Structure formats: structure tokens, C-alpha cells
Amino acid sequence: MKSCLVVDDSRVVRKVARKILEELNFTCSEAEDGKQAMEACAASMPDAILLDWNMPVMTGIEFLRRLRKMSGGQTPKVVFCTTENDLAHIQEALSAGANEYIMKPFDSEIIQTKFQQVGLL
């Protein structure tokens, strides 16, 4: 089974994403900010990361930049999942190392499609 770390400061979003991902046969762990996500990745690097942009402590883009510099940090497929939908944010995310980009709100079909596009399914 592949693993996915869901990083979002909203407990509801984490819960919804977790349910969808578990239905797609992922084992899931959660983090509510970038700092918790860094700690989780240092302990065990996931196959996939579903990442929010706007969070307290450490934003999604800060987390992504640090992740990609970590040992093994190039491995996870990172899919941003955010309300930030302007071209500048999307380009910044992709240039920082994101593999894909999903707009909130999302559903099972959107996550499944994006995870297929990046080779996770």
C-alpha cells in the first residue's frame, strides 16, 4: 500500500481527503501545518503528499521548498490542494517542486485523476 501525508490546517479537509485516499488504498497520516509535516517526513517519507498552501507555523510553499532539499525529499509526489487558484501561485508551486495542483473544493474524482496523472494510481 502507498502512503499519503495530508497536510491542511482544517480538520474537516483532512478528514474528507483521508476518506477519499483510503478508498483509493492509501494509508494516510495527517499534519496540520508545515512544521508537523516536516517532522512526519523526517520520521518516514510518504509516497504522496496532499498539501494546503495557507497554514499557520509554516506555509505549504515553505514546507515544499524545505522538503525538496531534504534527503529523500525528491521522492514524494506532491499535489497542492488549495484555494489559491491564480496563475502566479500555480507557477510558484510547480517551480518549487509540486507535481500537480488541485483547487478547493475537491472531490474523489478530482483527487483520483490527479493521482493518476502523477503516477500514484
Side-chain angles (χ1 to χ4, degrees):
M1 259 183 134
K2 289 191 172 164
S3 59
C4 185
L5 176 62
V6 179
V7 188
D8 199 299
D9 56 329
S10 165
R11 193 175 59 80
V12 172
V13 170
R14 290 195 312 268
K15 199 171 178 180
V16 170
R18 178 182 208 122
K19 183 179 183 305
I20 291 168
L21 290 160
E22 286 176 346
E23 286 172 1
L24 295 172
N25 292 320
F26 280 84
T27 57
C28 288
S29 53
E30 299 177 18
E32 60 186 54
D33 59 53
K35 183 176 181 291
Q36 282 186 6
M38 287 303 299
E39 291 164 2
C41 289
S44 176
M45 198 63 75
D47 296 303
I49 299 173
L50 192 64
L51 182 63
D52 185 24
W53 192 294
N54 298 306
M55 297 178 289
V57 187
M58 184 190 298
T59 65
I61 197 75
E62 289 173 312
F63 162 78
L64 179 59
R65 288 192 176 112
R66 291 185 190 181
L67 171 76
R68 293 305 192 204
K69 290 176 185 166
M70 281 174 76
S71 173
Q74 292 295 322
T75 307
K77 300 289 186 188
V78 177
V79 178
F80 255 106
C81 182
T82 181
T83 55
E84 300 294 350
N85 62 1
D86 58 280
L87 193 57
H89 276 92
I90 295 169
Q91 287 175 328
E92 185 178 358
L94 295 174
S95 68
N99 298 90
E100 257 305 340
Y101 207 93
I102 296 174
M103 309 301 172
K104 287 180 182 173
F106 59 87
D107 61 20
S108 178
E109 190 178 321
I110 292 168
I111 288 184
Q112 187 170 354
T113 299
K114 293 295 183 179
F115 274 47
Q116 282 171 336
Q117 287 173 350
V118 298
L120 287 162
L121 291 172

